[in-house]
Amino acid sequence: MTIHTPQIAPPIAVFDLDGTLADTAGDLVGTLNVILEREGLASLPVEQARDMIGAGARALIERGFEAAGKELAPDYLDELYRQFMVHYGENICVRTELFPGVAAALDRLEAAGFILAVCTNKVEEHSVKLLHELGIGHRFAANCGRDTFTYFKPDPRHLTLTIERAGGDPSRAIMVGDSRTDIVAARNAGIPVVAVPFGYTDVPVKDLNPDIVIDHFDQLFAAVETLMKPMAA
């Protein structure tokens, strides 16, 4: 008689991209400034516009025009969004860099048997291209963007479908993000969430009540171990 032992899925760590794995502000604001300058408006310093990032390209354009004191009709926003996406796609990794410690943190998770995945509200084409140019795209079993499924963050199905595509199990998953969108998606999916405070958020990320806040990716593995312990019990 053969006894079949149930297969336990390996643990999985799912990462947001913008403001979590990579500091993309320079290229996003750079593209916004191209759009503003085409419209005869003053460009914005990256540090001033940094907090405008995080809700997608359309919102970034709207916030840029609001800062310039100019109204923007919905149909013209559609046209500017198309221009933004073309320019950004062609200039996606000019100033963008991984945050310190990211590569080493991914190494340690992989060595411990974790599947890695990305769940981002960037469109999938841009996410794939950027992570390839940053040299880490091959490390993720799934790279799912805003347009990959019918749902996107903060809808928890964006996260759970990403986990499914990567071959993981939501009951053995951790989310790593930088914003309300990530934390709400994880909470509603019943998945623990680690937050980083150096990303793009309009309120301090600690005020959004993630399970753990880390200040550097050197602290990620210990945080993940802490959150995984109840799952192993």
Side-chain angles (χ1 to χ4, degrees):
M1 178 178 174
T2 302
I3 299 176
H4 296 284
T5 304
Q7 293 294 311
I8 299 175
I12 181 168
V14 184
F15 295 84
D16 175 52
L17 176 47
D18 296 75
T20 300
L21 289 173
D23 187 355
T24 55
D27 290 324
L28 288 166
V29 176
T31 296
L32 171 63
N33 283 334
V34 168
I35 299 299
L36 293 175
E37 288 164 7
R38 286 176 183 171
E39 297 299 309
L41 303 174
S43 60
L44 297 170
V46 172
E47 287 311 311
Q48 179 184 340
R50 188 180 181 89
D51 290 344
M52 298 179 184
I53 300 169
R58 289 179 185 274
L60 179 58
I61 296 166
E62 288 179 312
R63 291 167 181 175
F65 271 69
E66 183 179 347
K70 184 172 180 179
E71 293 186 11
L72 185 57
D75 57 342
Y76 196 47
L77 173 59
D78 292 340
E79 172 57 28
L80 294 181
Y81 172 76
R82 284 190 289 271
Q83 294 179 24
F84 184 103
M85 296 299 279
V86 170
H87 185 275
Y88 181 65
E90 293 172 349
N91 299 272
I92 202 166
C93 198
V94 178
R95 295 180 231 172
T96 292
E97 295 180 340
L98 294 174
F99 284 109
V102 165
L106 298 181
D107 286 343
R108 192 159 187 199
L109 288 167
E110 285 185 318
F114 277 77
I115 301 170
L116 305 177
V118 168
C119 180
T120 174
N121 277 351
K122 226 176 186 64
V123 296
E124 182 179 332
E125 178 184 3
H126 285 176
S127 181
V128 169
K129 181 176 182 180
L130 177 56
L131 289 174
H132 173 74
E133 293 199 16
L134 289 169
I136 61 170
H138 63 286
R139 308 186 71 157
F140 300 100
N143 186 344
C144 300
R146 185 184 187 94
D147 56 341
T148 302
F149 309 113
T150 307
Y151 317 101
F152 55 86
K153 296 181 299 183
D155 192 306
R157 288 170 289 190
H158 190 186
L159 179 52
T160 55
L161 288 169
T162 297
I163 292 167
E164 179 182 328
R165 177 168 289 193
D169 180 344
S171 70
R172 289 172 56 75
I174 300 288
M175 177 72 192
V176 184
D178 71 306
S179 70
R180 184 189 308 273
T181 299
D182 301 315
I183 293 167
V184 170
R187 285 272 178 258
N188 289 340
I191 293 171
V193 57
V194 177
V196 297
F198 39 74
Y200 314 132
T201 175
D202 54 355
V203 297
V205 74
K206 64 180 176 57
D207 294 346
L208 300 173
N209 299 313
D211 292 285
I212 295 177
V213 178
I214 59 171
D215 296 316
H216 192 284
F217 268 95
D218 290 351
Q219 301 165 349
L220 179 61
F221 191 78
V224 169
E225 276 193 316
T226 297
L227 295 175
M228 291 295 291
K229 283 178 183 175
M231 302 180 198

